[in-house]
Amino acid sequence: MQSRTHTETTELLAHGSGDPGDVLSELQERIGLTGQTDGEQKLERQILSYCQRYDIQTGLLNYQAIQDALAGMLRNRAEGSEVALIWIDLVNLRREFSLWGWNGAEAMARRVAGTLRSVVDANTLLGRVGGRSFLIAMEASKHDKVGRRKIQAVVDALSPARNRNTETRPEVAAGVAFYPTDTESPEDLVRFASLAAMRSGHVKTQTVTAFHAGMSSLILRDHALEVEMRKGLDQGQFSLAYQPKIDLETGRVLGAEALIRWKHPELGVVTPGEFIPIAERSDLIHRIFDFALRTSLDQMQRLHNMGLRLPVMAVNASTANVRSEDFARSVRTIVGEVPRGSTELELEMTESLAFEDEELFTTRVRELKNIGVRIAIDDFGTRYTGFNVLKHLPLDTMKIDQCFIRGIDRSPGMRSLCQTIVAMARQLRLHTVAEGIEEAGELEVMREIGCDAGQGYLFQRPVPAEEFAQFLRDWPERRHGFGFAETQLRHIA
């Protein structure tokens, strides 16, 4: 390869605006020269200087350099103007590495850097921090709608690309802090933008989250809960509650869903909505799943020994669980260790994973079916899964999200939508379960449109194991109050 001239390379290194791959090639070519001339020694020093200021893979300013440039930008800003610092975390970069190795991960990082360059002006600072994070500093006001739209447009520009015939979309958590509105300290400005991005990741939204003063306490509480969760798992603070699934034609108990509960000795009841997202960001979600699976399997056997029939026990698997390469192997090991009588195991997985990563979802479904596990799509209708994704998979159950069920007897439009969902499930030969049935009118509508089963407070709230066993004993008599006929019998699909 013919080398650049000294002038060309000097200009490239001075501005850091060329292709980073070319810079790296130049570095590799020049750094090993022996008997250098004065010019070559100068060039070598410039290469080292470049490495100290720029990220080799993307050509963006590194952390130290963007801090220095940001300090200058804040000092030299026009009087009365504000500077917005955007922190973008590329949250699926690690998954790209797992799928495609370093080349795939760095290719995504370079695409993101290229997109950011293309959507900002020459007065905007761009930097890469710690591999998966990007910093952007631009003039914008916290209370100006135009400025906020400009900031959001930067994140919205990060579009999907194809890698080995698979579409990969940058999944980001983005936060923004404003100088001097939020702080007059450059160091705190960076920290506050990072906190806002972290909070954005907690709520899983593509919207850029603006920093506010309460975020520090929220992050500290999340950290404290993670510490307490580890203790709680070791000290037996977690338990399961069980909620039945009822055949809407016969009233027969078709199964139950095992739901995780946490009662802290000092904090009291901590809701799943609060602790599950924290667990998903750490290894704790795998410990929670293992606990839920082992405990529910043990309860299956206890019910069997009591002479109480429960055809199916369902356990929730989060997206973080399913993404783990060892997930199916772990399920196989636990199922092999714990007897479960005649009850089948069903894993409930959210619809969103099928949309986000069709290939991975398909692989996991087939692995789990091979070990005799039923698969349910949870919260159906709340994401964007296509009919074509589902029709090729060996699924068993489709759970219709409670947001469609609530008040359905007073909403012709919602009734029509659920009727369409049930008809689609029938085409796919899937068993349908309506979640969150709380009123008699909702039950009647779901019966009329042909939904197979229902679950909700109308029948039974989630209860501990002992109370659930008593529910199974009492239900044959209680079911008549819901209009179920004694002679009607239908087995699970």
Side-chain angles (χ1 to χ4, degrees), residues 49-110:
S49 175
Y50 179 91
C51 293
Q52 291 173 344
R53 288 186 52 79
Y54 296 98
D55 173 62
I56 285 293
Q57 295 295 338
T58 64
L60 302 183
L61 293 169
N62 64 24
Y63 184 52
Q64 185 58 55
I66 197 169
Q67 278 191 312
D68 295 342
L70 177 63
M73 184 180 190
L74 298 179
R75 284 194 305 270
N76 299 324
R77 67 187 176 88
E79 186 176 354
S81 66
E82 290 182 66
V83 172
L85 182 67
I86 310 165
W87 183 296
I88 297 177
D89 278 330
L90 194 55
V91 297
N92 62 331
L93 192 64
R94 184 171 183 176
R95 190 173 79 224
E96 287 297 297
F97 169 71
S98 298
L99 290 172
W100 315 117
W102 285 116
N103 288 340
E106 290 301 334
M108 174 176 278
R110 286 194 295 271

Side-chain angles (χ1 to χ4, degrees), residues 439-476:
E439 300 176 1
E442 296 167 353
L443 168 60
E444 190 57 33
V445 170
M446 297 313 291
R447 275 174 170 161
E448 290 174 358
I449 67 176
C451 186
D452 297 306
Q455 177 182 351
Y457 285 5
L458 181 66
F459 304 120
Q460 178 64 59
R461 291 173 177 266
V463 291
E466 296 78 8
E467 291 182 48
F468 183 71
Q470 190 59 48
F471 163 83
L472 291 177
R473 296 186 187 99
D474 296 342
W475 180 250

Side-chain angles (χ1 to χ4, degrees), residues 49 74 78 85 87 122 126 152 173 222 234 253 284 359 375 390 418 444 447:
S49 175
L74 298 179
L85 182 67
W87 183 296
L126 292 174
Q152 184 63 48
D222 284 354
D234 292 333
V253 177
L284 292 177
E359 183 178 354
I375 305 296
L390 298 181
C418 283
E444 190 57 33
R447 275 174 170 161

Side-chain angles (χ1 to χ4, degrees), residues 157-318:
L158 300 177
S159 57
R162 299 199 67 80
N163 186 4
R164 303 187 189 182
N165 298 321
T166 299
E167 186 177 81
T168 60
R169 177 185 296 273
E171 296 173 20
V172 302
V176 61
F178 294 84
Y179 181 98
T181 306
D182 292 324
T183 178
E184 294 185 8
S185 163
E187 293 79 9
D188 282 346
L189 185 68
V190 176
R191 185 167 65 88
F192 290 170
S194 173
L195 284 174
M198 189 182 300
R199 197 63 197 168
S200 177
H202 289 191
V203 296
K204 296 182 179 178
T205 174
Q206 293 290 109
T207 302
V208 181
T209 300
F211 172 81
H212 61 77
M215 281 185 177
S216 293
S217 60
L218 289 172
I219 298 299
L220 288 173
R221 175 172 169 77
D222 284 354
H223 174 70
L225 278 180
E226 182 179 337
V227 172
E228 291 303 313
M229 210 183 311
R230 292 185 187 277
K231 294 179 184 177
L233 285 165
D234 292 333
Q235 297 172 4
Q237 297 172 11
F238 284 79
S239 63
L240 292 182
Y242 301 88
Q243 187 175 39
K245 300 177 184 181
I246 306 298
D247 187 309
L248 295 188
E249 182 180 339
T250 69
R252 178 177 244 173
V253 177
L254 297 178
E257 179 180 0
L259 299 160
I260 192 74
R261 296 291 184 262
W262 180 19
K263 187 174 183 180
H264 189 276
E266 296 176 4
L267 300 174
V269 174
V270 185
T271 65
E274 187 169 11
F275 70 79
I276 289 295
I278 298 171
E280 287 181 328
R281 294 190 292 273
S282 70
D283 63 322
L284 292 177
I285 195 63
H286 304 302
R287 291 188 62 188
I288 286 174
F289 174 78
D290 288 355
F291 167 82
L293 183 56
R294 289 181 183 276
T295 305
S296 60
L297 288 173
D298 181 67
Q299 181 61 18
M300 289 180 187
Q301 184 62 32
R302 289 173 182 270
L303 293 173
H304 179 75
N305 293 341
M306 295 176 191
L308 297 171
R309 183 171 182 270
L310 185 70
V312 176
M313 178 71 82
V315 178
N316 288 281
S318 81

Side-chain angles (χ1 to χ4, degrees), residues 343-359:
T343 304
E344 291 189 85
L345 171 65
E346 184 170 79
L347 294 183
E348 296 188 3
M349 300 189 290
T350 58
E351 177 194 5
S352 58
L353 180 59
F355 172 71
E356 294 168 2
D357 198 331
E358 180 184 344
E359 183 178 354

